[in-house]
Amino acid sequence: MPRGVPRAGYRKPRQSKMDKANSLAKIMNVQVPAEPVVVETDEEIEQKLNDRFEVLAEMTEAATDGAVRSMIVSGPGGLGKSYTVERVLNSWDPNAVNHTVIRGFVKAPGLFKLLYQNRAPGQVLVFDDADSVFLDDVSVNLLKAVCDSTEKRIVSYMSEGVLIDDESAERLPKSFEFEGTIIFITNMDFDGMIDRGSKLAPHLEAMLTRSHYIDLAMKTRRDYIIRIKQVVAAGMLRGRGLDAEAETDVMEFIDENQDCLRELSLRMAIKLADIRKRNSKTWKKTARVTCCK
């Protein structure tokens, strides 16, 4: 086939509006101004994060009375997602009678059992960093059923085998009505993965349409630092026995070494606090060796 002749079935990639504008400008020899970059101030970031974590707490409270039936919380690890949700749930249900938190790997048969055991009105089932549930077609279909907005949420598992309830040793039904609430706490950026055309995008879109979605909007290193400062200012390190001077030392170390720390998270702040508390003279040397790349 001669060069320059498109092959059969070839479709020219679609141009964005900006690409079209640039192409036209090149032909006409006209400069197109770059799209403006919006830069947030520290105060704006702090207010944004305050607002989102307040909404997270409010929506978790709504989940405890069934007003919210399905919620997805997305944000980076170690910056307070789980803490905020569990603080509300533990205040509501201190003996964990009506809420269950699942972490780790979950397969479809185990998911069906969990849904059955937490099916009653007023029960809350939390999947915290258990993203394997989104990687399996069968699991996602079960979740779509229990997160649906229909008045009755019927979930079915029509396998040939028999599933046994571990708590009662009874045989599970093939179908049941789910009347509880589900909360997903994840590091996955659903919006970003959908926009990028991830292979999981159809599953993620299906879950978003059925759930309240809270993106905690922590995308940059600056967001992380400001979030850590917020939580430390609220007394997290004081609760671990640090005085004001030691707390300042830890936050200054994080600021000065943010480019080389192994992670920017509340967990890292706690590690540094424990090192600082152990030896106030040589703690920085230990911190550089154990916490920096």
Side-chain angles (χ1 to χ4, degrees):
M1 181 180 293
R3 289 185 179 180
V5 178
R7 63 182 182 277
Y10 172 81
R11 294 181 63 186
K12 187 176 180 181
R14 295 179 63 183
Q15 286 185 308
S16 68
K17 289 182 180 179
M18 196 65 186
D19 289 337
K20 289 179 180 177
N22 284 328
S23 298
L24 183 60
K26 188 174 181 181
I27 295 171
M28 299 178 66
N29 196 27
V30 175
Q31 287 287 339
V32 175
E35 294 182 336
V37 177
V38 178
V39 179
E40 295 176 296
T41 65
D42 285 0
E43 291 75 16
E44 288 172 334
I45 293 174
E46 186 169 357
Q47 186 60 54
K48 171 187 70 176
L49 297 180
N50 273 332
D51 289 346
R52 292 188 181 239
F53 276 92
E54 285 176 6
V55 168
L56 174 57
E58 290 172 5
M59 293 293 281
T60 305
E61 287 181 7
T64 64
D65 60 21
V68 167
R69 304 200 303 185
S70 176
M71 179 170 72
I72 300 169
V73 186
S74 171
L79 290 169
K81 303 187 306 295
S82 301
Y83 171 79
T84 302
V85 170
E86 291 190 35
R87 175 171 52 82
V88 174
L89 294 179
N90 289 333
S91 176
W92 163 69
D93 180 32
N95 297 319
V97 174
N98 294 309
H99 78 277
T100 301
V101 180
I102 302 299
R103 296 182 175 91
F105 183 73
V106 182
K107 293 187 72 174
L111 174 60
F112 188 76
K113 290 182 183 181
L114 285 168
L115 295 172
Y116 181 77
Q117 292 162 356
N118 296 273
R119 68 192 183 280
Q123 289 187 286
V124 179
L125 180 58
V126 181
F127 290 94
D128 186 2
D129 198 19
D131 294 340
S132 59
V133 294
F134 299 119
L135 306 179
D136 174 68
D137 289 343
V138 176
S139 296
V140 171
N141 285 329
L142 294 175
L143 293 177
K144 286 193 289 187
V146 298
C147 295
D148 210 347
S149 57
T150 55
E151 184 176 347
K152 277 197 171 186
R153 293 171 286 166
I154 305 297
V155 57
S156 303
Y157 191 78
M158 300 299 182
S159 66
E160 294 181 1
V162 174
L163 295 180
I164 303 297
D165 184 357
D166 298 331
E167 295 180 353
S168 65
E170 296 177 355
R171 178 174 178 168
L172 295 184
K174 295 293 186 181
S175 298
F176 62 88
E177 183 178 359
F178 184 84
E179 299 179 89
T181 293
I182 293 189
I183 298 175
F184 303 96
I185 304 174
T186 177
N187 298 342
M188 295 167 62
D189 177 1
F190 277 43
D191 285 333
M193 294 175 72
I194 291 170
D195 290 343
R196 292 191 298 272
S198 163
K199 64 180 181 180
L200 294 178
H203 289 336
L204 303 184
E205 284 183 306
M207 291 302 301
L208 283 187
T209 62
R210 290 164 169 80
S211 306
H212 294 278
Y213 183 65
I214 300 177
D215 179 357
L216 293 174
M218 292 180 284
K219 311 293 185 185
T220 68
R221 180 180 294 146
R222 197 153 146 249
D223 293 336
Y224 293 13
I225 292 288
I226 290 173
R227 176 59 186 164
I228 294 169
K229 288 180 178 178
Q230 282 182 329
V231 179
V232 169
M236 182 184 74
L237 300 186
R238 300 290 180 93
R240 301 185 72 86
L242 263 68
D243 58 22
E245 180 184 356
E247 183 182 276
T248 299
D249 286 346
V250 168
M251 290 311 304
E252 287 180 351
F253 187 91
I254 290 174
D255 264 333
E256 293 167 2
N257 296 276
Q258 58 181 273
D259 292 337
C260 63
L261 284 172
R262 295 191 179 278
E263 64 171 332
L264 280 174
S265 69
L266 298 174
R267 289 189 287 262
M268 178 58 73
I270 290 172
K271 288 178 186 177
L272 293 169
D274 290 343
I275 294 171
R276 171 63 174 78
K277 186 167 58 175
R278 181 173 177 80
N279 190 325
S280 61
K281 302 296 183 184
T282 63
W283 77 276
K284 287 186 178 181
K285 178 176 69 175
T286 303
R288 290 192 184 95
V289 170
T290 61
C291 298
C292 296
K293 298 177 183 178

